[in-house]
């Protein structure tokens, strides 16, 4: 049980709020209601600050348990189920707007059981739980009926959040001891079966400095929902949720608005209408919708070395600038009055149907920009319905990332190590974890010359960040000495990671190793594309590593048409490097790409907002792509071709005229 002391003064509920529900700040124009369930020994007033901190489009209802404050004369509940039944009955009149439930500590159990009941009679959009182990676990709470008063006070001090002076108030202390013991009985009597599940998405809110709960303890909440699941970190201790009301309000509001958007948005472009209808006040504190401004915003929140690691290019940055200039050299020539009322963004290749021609590019060591790293990123990708390509150099193991992705599509990117047994082990683990394609990166036989990283002396792998796929691999671990520390782990990784001796004649070995579709990433020259196919690859990714490897190379977009011509129309060709906007996606597809890989912008979103930041960036990209199709007079991405493009700064030439783009691919 988790207890927090509360002010014993009685509080009258607002008119018509009922004896169970408290409404501190009525918001008649709100779009959703957040129902909060207090911790053990707590009252509805624990959420007064959070109620005031929420924006006008979210109204907070707080549940008041019997036996305390204005309900002190009533007997305590006999079990968690009784509290849930009362709360469910009281909330039915409030189900005219979407309900979100939030339970803190013991309140998480009450909220969970209330959600089960409401699912039968109404709907719950999302359940948030905080400072609580899963309902099927033994909370191992001591019997406070047999504990001395001093023991309970010591527990309260350990959990924090109570002014020391209140312990000297006899009436206050007596009230807390009375309610703490009563609520302790409820928790000790409660246990849910492991197979009891909700149909509601569930988010665990985990405080960074909580002395009572850890990520390992709360992970099994995932067993209790058949919908989306996530663990969202936040600052503070056991009561950080209520102590930091403004930060909590921002965190919860982001989820609530995203969930509401997900239930009302039929097509990506509806994001624009949604924002306008919500009005100017809804944009306060929100991320920009201008995807080109994300680097500046991320620079403000990231340490300089971390920002340089994400944003930095090789050498003078000439390749990175060339990637952007290549997109600027093309202009769109829309056709009008084409009767485009519906757009189809989906594409098919490698026997897979994707919702849109966008995949999240593999980026290493994402914990550098956000504590949850790839776990938050893959969840954001899943929220947007886009495939996530996991780097070999990830901060979390490929198995953990697969679990976080849920049913969302995912590919695995391989840096082929010098140890073939290790390479085989990584590939087999990817197969076993449900990755549906293998991406072999071939343009990084060694690290590029990156002044940003060098000037900071920063490489995350040196302290083990980004090596989770290696440290979790049985072949890698078997080669380490007993009791190996970080230095030994990093040393062994450094000895096997680079493989500059690789040549095209080795590719058939990898092809024979797996039945997964094999895509070679890092191709610019048409002949290399032909060699990749000859070695067994199923497709290629035209890429210069985003300008992070060799300075002064050609832009990837400039190489795309020649690679497409070299491999023909039937071979999947993807583009990576320099894509920033929905218009960029249109240009890449018009020049021959089947899809693009999207990299740094989602990393900036990760730095700025974790999972929700990633989702926001991807929603903006897809909305712009969807609108671009409409405005260009195309009803699908498959209808895009070079006839849509013209060189910038030159008079328009009709198809077939010298120097004009060729006809679209069939």
């Amino acid at each position: 049980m988790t207890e927090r002391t509360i002010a014993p003064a009685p509080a009258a509920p607002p008119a018509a709020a009922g004896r169970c529900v408290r409404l501190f700040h009525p918001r008649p124009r709100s779009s959703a209601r957040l129902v909060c369930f207090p911790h053990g020994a707590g009252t509805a007033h624990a959420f007064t600050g959070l109620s005031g901190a929420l924006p006008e489009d979210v109204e907070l209802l707080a549940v008041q348990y019997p036996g305390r404050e204005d309900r002190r004369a009533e007997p305590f509940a006999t079990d968690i189920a009784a509290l849930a039944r009362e709360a469910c009955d009281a909330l039915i009149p409030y189900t005219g707007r979407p309900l979100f439930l939030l339970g803190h500590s013991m309140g998480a159990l009450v909220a969970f059981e209330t959600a089960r009941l409401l699912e039968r009679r109404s709907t719950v959009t999302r359940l948030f739980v905080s400072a609580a182990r899963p309902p099927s676990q033994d909370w191992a709470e001591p019997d406070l009926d047999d504990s001395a008063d001093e023991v309970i006070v010591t527990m309260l001090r350990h959990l924090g959040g109570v002014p020391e002076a209140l312990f000297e108030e006899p009436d206050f202390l007596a009230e807390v001891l009375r309610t703490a013991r009563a609520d302790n009985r409820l928790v000790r009597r409660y246990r849910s079966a492991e197979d009891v599940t909700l149909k509601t998405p569930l988010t665990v809110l985990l405080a960074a400095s909580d002395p009572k709960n850890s990520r390992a303890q709360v992970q099994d909440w995932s067993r209790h929902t058949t919908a989306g699941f996530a663990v969202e970190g936040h600052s503070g201790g056991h009561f950080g949720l209520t102590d930091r009301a403004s930060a909590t309000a921002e965190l919860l509001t982001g989820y609530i608005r995203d969930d509401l958007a997900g239930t009302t948005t039929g097509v990506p472009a509806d994001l624009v209408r949604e924002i306008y209808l919500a009005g100017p006040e809804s944009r306060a504190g929100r991320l920009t919708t201008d995807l080109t401004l994300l680097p500046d915003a991320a620079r403000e929140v990231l340490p300089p070395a971390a920002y340089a690691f994400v944003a930095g290019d090789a050498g003078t940055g000439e390749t990175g600038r060339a990637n952007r200039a290549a997109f600027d050299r093309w202009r769109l020539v829309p056709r009008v009055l084409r009767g485009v009322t519906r757009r189809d963004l989906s594409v098919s290749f490698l026997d897979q149907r994707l919702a849109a021609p966008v995949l999240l590019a593999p980026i290493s060591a994402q914990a550098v920009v956000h504590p949850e790293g790839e776990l938050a990123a893959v969840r954001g990708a899943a929220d947007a319905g886009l495939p996530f390509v996991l780097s070999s150099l990830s901060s979390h193991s490929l198995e953990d990332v697969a679990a976080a992705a849920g049913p969302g599509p995912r590919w695995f990117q391989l840096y082929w190590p010098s140890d073939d047994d290790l390479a085989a082990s990584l590939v087999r683990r990817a197969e076993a974890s449900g990755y549906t394609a293998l991406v072999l990166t071939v343009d990084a036989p060694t690290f590029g010359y990156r002044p940003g990283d060098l000037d900071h002396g920063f490489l995350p792998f040196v302290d083990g960040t980004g090596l989770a796929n290696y440290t979790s691999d049985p072949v890698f671990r078997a080669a380490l000495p007993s009791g190996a520390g970080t230095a030994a782990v990093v040393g062994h990784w450094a000895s096997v990671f680079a493989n500059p001796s690789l040549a095209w004649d080795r590719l058939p070995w990898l092809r024979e190793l797996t039945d997964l579709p094999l895509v070679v990433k890092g191709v610019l020259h048409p002949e290399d594309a032909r060699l990749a196919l000859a070695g067994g690859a199923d497709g290629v990714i035209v890429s210069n590593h985003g300008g992070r490897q060799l300075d002064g190379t050609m832009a990837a977009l400039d190489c795309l048409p020649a690679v497409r011509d070299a491999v023909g129309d039937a071979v999947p060709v993807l583009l990576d490097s320099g894509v920033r906007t929905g218009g960029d996606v249109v240009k890449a597809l018009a020049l021959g790409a089947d899809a693009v890989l999207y990299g740094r912008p989602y990393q900036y979103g990760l730095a700025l907002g974790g999972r929700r930041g990633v989702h926001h960036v991807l929603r903006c990209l897809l909305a712009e792509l969807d609108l671009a199709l409409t405005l260009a007079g195309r009803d699908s991405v498959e209808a895009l071709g070079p006839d849509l493009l013209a060189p910038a700064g030159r008079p328009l030439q009709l198809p077939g005229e010298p120097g004009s783009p060729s006809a679209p691919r069939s």
Side-chain angles (χ1 to χ4, degrees):
M1 186 196 70
T2 300
E3 317 85 358
R4 189 183 187 184
T5 50
I6 42 82
R19 69 175 185 173
C20 179
V21 175
R22 302 292 176 268
L23 179 59
F24 303 115
H25 300 90
R27 294 187 170 103
R29 298 180 61 188
S30 65
S31 303
R33 291 184 168 115
L34 176 67
V35 184
C36 296
F37 296 76
H39 50 276
T43 74
H45 275 75
F47 299 103
T48 306
L50 177 59
S51 177
L54 288 168
E56 288 300 312
D57 56 335
V58 181
E59 183 178 72
L60 185 144
L61 308 176
V63 174
Q64 184 77 300
Y65 306 141
R68 63 210 75 201
E69 285 193 341
D70 56 304
R71 301 187 66 186
R72 191 181 191 282
E74 300 178 39
F76 288 114
T78 57
D79 55 34
I80 295 291
L83 292 177
R85 287 193 297 270
E86 182 185 56
C88 178
D89 291 341
L91 290 172
I92 290 300
Y94 294 96
T95 55
R97 302 174 203 166
L99 286 185
F100 293 78
L101 306 190
L102 166 63
H104 182 63
S105 193
M106 183 191 84
L109 303 179
V110 186
F112 175 73
E113 292 296 335
T114 304
R116 292 180 63 197
L117 296 175
L118 284 172
E119 282 188 343
R120 302 172 191 169
R121 303 169 61 177
S122 182
T123 58
V124 179
T125 305
R126 181 177 294 273
L127 171 63
F128 299 98
V129 295
S130 166
R133 294 192 188 189
S136 57
Q137 283 189 12
D138 182 358
W139 283 30
E141 294 290 332
D143 186 348
L144 297 191
D145 285 330
D146 294 334
S147 300
D149 293 353
E150 293 77 11
V151 172
I152 301 177
V153 170
T154 299
M155 292 173 58
L156 291 170
R157 287 190 169 113
H158 175 65
L159 293 176
V162 181
E164 185 65 25
L166 291 180
F167 289 119
E168 305 302 323
E169 298 287 340
D171 292 342
F172 175 84
L173 187 58
E175 182 69 9
V176 168
L177 294 173
R178 186 181 74 91
T179 54
R181 288 188 168 102
D183 289 347
N184 171 258
R185 296 181 205 118
L186 300 183
V187 175
R188 293 178 62 245
R189 292 170 185 162
Y190 177 86
R191 182 76 68 83
S192 169
E194 289 190 358
D195 59 354
V196 174
T197 58
L198 299 172
K199 301 174 184 176
T200 300
L202 194 157
T203 299
V204 178
L205 306 176
L206 180 64
S209 303
D210 191 337
K212 201 170 183 182
N213 300 105
S214 66
R215 183 173 295 275
Q217 289 172 339
V218 304
Q219 191 64 38
D220 273 358
W221 272 101
S222 62
R223 296 175 179 266
H224 296 286
T225 179
T226 58
F229 172 78
V231 178
E232 183 76 40
H234 64 92
S235 60
H238 194 73
F239 290 103
L241 187 79
T242 48
D243 287 342
R244 293 166 166 79
S246 295
T248 301
E250 182 178 354
L251 174 66
L252 297 173
T253 301
Y255 268 98
I256 290 169
R257 287 173 174 167
D258 285 349
D259 282 343
L260 295 181
T263 61
T264 59
T265 299
V267 292
D270 284 349
L271 170 65
V272 175
R273 180 176 61 183
E274 171 194 324
I275 290 174
Y276 286 143
L277 290 178
E281 63 276 5
S282 71
R283 297 304 303 162
R286 304 284 280 178
L287 297 185
T288 178
T289 58
D290 185 343
L291 300 177
T292 66
L293 297 181
L294 291 171
D296 293 335
R299 187 193 295 269
E300 295 297 317
V301 302
L302 287 174
Y307 179 79
F309 178 74
V310 175
D313 285 329
T316 65
E318 183 180 348
T319 301
R321 292 190 295 273
N323 284 331
R324 291 303 308 143
F327 284 99
D328 291 339
R329 281 194 292 272
W330 291 102
R331 293 290 183 265
L332 301 175
V333 186
R335 300 296 304 276
V336 297
L337 296 181
R338 310 293 281 190
V340 176
T341 58
R342 296 183 179 181
R343 285 84 57 203
D344 182 5
L345 270 61
S346 64
V347 292
S348 293
F349 51 84
L350 301 176
D351 295 325
Q352 301 178 32
R353 188 72 179 174
L354 306 184
V358 179
L359 301 89
L360 276 69
I363 296 179
S364 62
Q366 295 184 26
V368 168
V369 301
H370 189 275
E372 292 190 355
E374 294 83 2
L375 301 181
V378 76
R379 288 171 180 141
D383 292 340
L386 297 181
F388 183 82
V389 187
L390 178 69
S391 171
S392 290
L393 294 169
S394 60
S395 309
H396 300 274
S397 72
L398 60 92
E399 289 84 2
D400 287 347
V401 174
R410 53 194 179 271
W411 295 8
F412 180 69
Q413 177 267 338
L414 177 69
Y415 285 114
W416 191 335
S418 59
D419 181 345
D420 282 352
D421 289 339
L422 176 57
S425 181
L426 290 169
V427 172
R428 292 187 182 110
R429 288 170 59 197
E431 292 175 328
S433 298
Y435 291 82
T436 57
L438 183 66
V439 177
L440 174 66
T441 295
V442 296
D443 61 355
T446 185
F447 288 114
Y449 187 86
R450 301 173 192 165
D453 294 340
L454 294 169
D455 288 349
H456 288 99
F458 178 72
L459 189 66
F461 318 115
V462 172
D463 65 9
T465 302
L467 303 187
N469 284 324
Y470 298 88
T471 57
S472 60
D473 192 274
V475 173
F476 185 88
R477 291 200 308 268
L480 294 172
S482 178
T486 300
V489 169
V490 173
H492 179 53
W493 167 78
S495 71
V496 299
F497 172 71
N499 197 357
S501 66
L502 276 177
W504 288 114
D505 61 1
R506 294 298 320 284
L507 191 58
W509 179 88
L510 185 62
R511 174 69 285 170
E512 290 296 320
L513 185 65
T514 180
D515 291 329
L516 291 177
L518 176 60
V519 183
V520 174
K521 178 178 181 291
V523 169
L524 295 176
H525 198 288
E527 185 58 30
D528 282 340
R530 295 190 185 97
L531 289 170
L533 299 180
D538 299 292
V540 296
I541 300 174
V542 179
S543 169
N544 56 32
H545 219 96
R548 294 170 61 79
Q549 282 298 99
L550 178 61
D551 196 25
T553 67
M554 286 190 67
L557 187 71
D558 288 341
C559 297
L560 173 62
V563 171
R564 168 55 73 191
D565 288 344
V567 301
D569 291 339
V571 174
V573 175
L574 289 74
L575 178 86
D576 166 287
S577 302
V579 180
R580 296 293 179 266
T581 68
D584 293 341
V585 179
V586 170
K587 293 175 183 179
L589 269 59
L591 288 173
D594 292 292
V596 302
L597 274 69
Y598 198 57
R600 287 176 188 160
Y602 89 77
Q603 282 292 280
Y604 301 137
L606 179 64
L608 293 163
R611 170 185 182 170
R612 291 183 292 110
V614 173
H615 185 208
H616 168 79
V617 169
L618 299 178
R619 285 194 74 197
C620 290
L621 179 74
L622 295 180
E624 189 175 10
L625 171 60
D626 192 19
L627 286 170
L629 285 180
T630 303
L631 296 171
R634 302 295 195 274
D635 60 4
S636 71
V637 294
E638 293 180 342
L640 298 173
D643 61 317
L644 181 63
L645 301 178
R650 293 168 53 185
L652 178 64
Q653 293 178 307
L654 296 177
E657 294 182 0
S660 67
S662 59
R665 291 186 292 124
S666 58

